[in-house]
Amino acid sequence: MSAGLDIEVRRAVPDEWQAVRAARLRALADAPEAFGASLADEERLDEPGWRRRVTETPWVLARAAGVPVGVVAAVPEDLHPGQQRLIAMWVDPGHRGGPVAGLLVEVLCDWARTASATGVSLWVTQDNARARGLYERLGFVATGEREPMVGAPDVTVERMQRPL
Ligand SMILES: CC(C)(COP(=O)(O)OP(=O)(O)OC[C@H]1O[C@@H](n2cnc3c(N)ncnc32)[C@H](O)[C@@H]1OP(=O)(O)O)[C@@H](O)C(=O)NCCC(=O)NCCS
């Protein structure tokens, strides 16, 4: 999917693992409070590890003029079989408020439909008002299910979902 002349959003292929890694490490450095993973752990993942990750899991990358400016991925939602869980959502601060975030989610949802998912879930921290605003605009609804955040058990995340 593309918007405007130079924003391209699509699932990365395994040979693009370096671009995915670059975007993911920037995300973890930029917004560590938003994610359950740590920059140090993911910096240690080697090339075979990244290739495996990008092969086994859909990583959707946004590029502006060829430069990675956003990323999102999905894994099966274990708590709700049939759904996919949207994870790792991040947009470069210089591209927030534009089309990138919406395009990432729509391309991921298109992929989930092709994978026969019945819905897309995500878990967001209570105080991430910007992310919640985005997800609500895109049709996600808060379910009231809350859990401790993986990697930060003193932080609570709430599940939102969008049927497909
Ligand atoms: C979350 C993220 C991907 C959203 O992308 P974005 O480009 O900033 O999103 P948008 O600007 O398109 O949408 C944000 C919405 O929240 C609203 N918003 C912004 N700040 C807000 C605030 N403090 N309180 C409430 N709503 C807010 C915006 O007005 C907008 O809604 P609108 O389009 O209806 O006006 C991006 O901000 C990001 O990468 N953040 C850091 C990582 C992160 O938090 N990831 C999510 C993990 S669940």
Side-chain angles (χ1 to χ4, degrees), residues 71-82:
V71 70
V72 70
V75 294
E77 173 58 85
D78 291 340
L79 295 177
H80 294 269

Side-chain angles (χ1 to χ4, degrees), residues 31 34-35 89-91 96-98 101 123-124 128-131 133-135 137:
F35 304 112
M89 177 78 190
W90 177 78
V91 172
R96 291 183 189 160
W123 295 78
V124 60
N128 195 342
R130 184 156 196 152
L134 169 76
Y135 299 140
R137 187 181 83 219

Side-chain angles (χ1 to χ4, degrees), residues 20 30 43 45 72 85 98 116 126-127:
V20 174
D30 170 64
E43 275 178 332
L45 193 61
V72 70
R85 180 188 295 205
S116 304
Q126 296 285 84
D127 58 357

Side-chain angles (χ1 to χ4, degrees), residues 92-110:
D92 180 307
H95 284 266
R96 291 183 189 160
V100 172
L103 287 168
L104 283 167
V105 172
E106 295 309 334
V107 169
L108 192 87
C109 287
D110 286 348

